[in-house]
Every structure is written in structure tokens, then in C-alpha cells.
Amino acid sequence: YGAGMFSHTKGLEQKVTAWLVKNLKGLGEERLVTFQTKDGWTIRGKLRLPDESTRRALGNQKSPGVVMVHGARHDQQTYDELARSLAKLGIATLRFDWRGKGLSIAEGKGIQGIDMPDAEADQTPLDVKAAINLLAAEPSVDANRIGLISATAGNGYALDAAGGDPRV
């Protein structure tokens, strides 16, 4: 009905405004991040932190965190909606593109990973480990409550990176 409906339904404008504010605040803050792997790759991703009032309402001083590892034929955008939903639950997320994918393509080191030498691709767990380290170092994240979400080939990389890490 358009904006005219607000003048015909008493209190509707306030209800809609309150709903929008609540849902937008619940999305927290997202920022682009860049970090280095142990072997020198520059990895890029997006860190989403829950808003402080969401954390307080859930009784959390620091948020648990989740590193999101995309699959072989995808990139970090795969987890965009999930990252928003987790922020509303007070959970911080880091989604990133592995070496040779999406935003983490290094000049001369492969396009979308297609022509990357196997020896280079085999080092992708280092990307996940660096992502875990970045998320754990975030002041508003509880470094001892880090989870991993992964898909397809990302499953192996995530398991290799998490093995023996008590934070995960």
C-alpha cells in the first residue's frame, strides 16, 4: 500500500521502525580483513562482530567465534547469510577466500586456483590456521571458543588446521 498505509494504521510506523532498528543492529559490524599465512600468502576476508548490546543481552562478555571455510567451487560469499544470522545470536564470524580464490588471488599464483600447482594448493590448511589466529586475536572474541564450518574440499583443510588446536 506504500507509505500511505502508515497514516491509516495507528502505531504501524513505530512498530516497523522498531523492527528495522532491532534487525539492523543485530547484524553487528562487518569489515574487510587481510592477514598473512605462515608461508607468505595474503588472505582476504570479512570479519563480522556481533553488536555489543547483543552480546550483553546473551550474557557474553566475549563472543564465541566461527571460521567459515568455503568449498572448492565457491568463495567466502557462500556464508554471507549465515554470518548475519550468527551475529544475531552473538557469534563472531570470519569468512575468507583461500589462496587462489576470490579476493585472495595472488598475482602469478593461479586464477581461481585452477592452475595452482598441487604443492601450493596442499598448503591451504595454513590459510585456515591463519584465519583461526586472526579470529582468536580479536579482543571481543573468546579465543577458547572457536568453531569451524566448512564445505567439500574445505572440510579437509579445516580438519588439518584445527588438529591439536585447543582453541577449536
Side-chain angles (χ1 to χ4, degrees):
Y1 294 96
M5 71 181 175
F6 292 120
S7 63
H8 301 297
T9 307
K10 186 175 180 159
L12 181 60
E13 185 174 1
Q14 291 78 14
K15 288 179 183 176
V16 169
T17 301
W19 180 86
L20 281 171
V21 167
K22 177 184 172 200
N23 280 281
L24 290 176
K25 279 185 81 174
L27 295 176
E29 171 199 338
E30 183 175 84
R31 68 178 186 260
L32 293 172
V33 292
T34 301
F35 51 100
Q36 296 289 313
T37 64
K38 188 176 177 179
D39 65 342
W41 267 83
T42 298
I43 304 298
R44 293 173 179 84
K46 294 180 181 174
L47 174 66
R48 182 175 292 275
L49 299 172
D51 124 303
E52 190 177 324
S53 63
T54 300
R55 284 197 325 266
R56 267 196 316 261
L58 296 169
N60 296 329
Q61 294 297 318
K62 291 188 171 194
S63 298
V66 174
V67 171
M68 303 173 137
V69 186
H70 63 78
R73 296 181 184 252
H74 304 280
D75 62 16
Q76 55 81 20
Q77 290 178 336
T78 300
Y79 295 118
D80 184 53
E81 289 297 319
L82 183 55
R84 290 177 187 184
S85 295
L86 290 173
K88 289 180 182 181
L89 297 173
I91 301 171
T93 57
L94 174 59
R95 51 197 175 96
F96 67 97
D97 292 318
W98 340 316
R99 58 187 66 210
K101 296 278 191 174
L103 300 173
S104 299
I105 295 174
E107 209 167 305
K109 290 193 176 183
I111 299 173
Q112 299 294 330
I114 295 169
D115 60 356
M116 184 180 294
D118 288 344
E120 188 77 46
D122 289 346
Q123 298 305 309
T124 304
L126 296 176
D127 304 357
V128 180
K129 184 57 111 177
I132 293 167
N133 291 337
L134 178 84
L135 187 58
E138 182 62 37
S140 65
V141 173
D142 183 342
N144 294 309
R145 294 193 304 157
I146 304 287
L148 291 171
I149 293 174
S150 59
T152 66
N155 293 329
Y157 301 145
L159 288 171
D160 285 349
D165 190 332
R167 301 171 298 177
V168 179

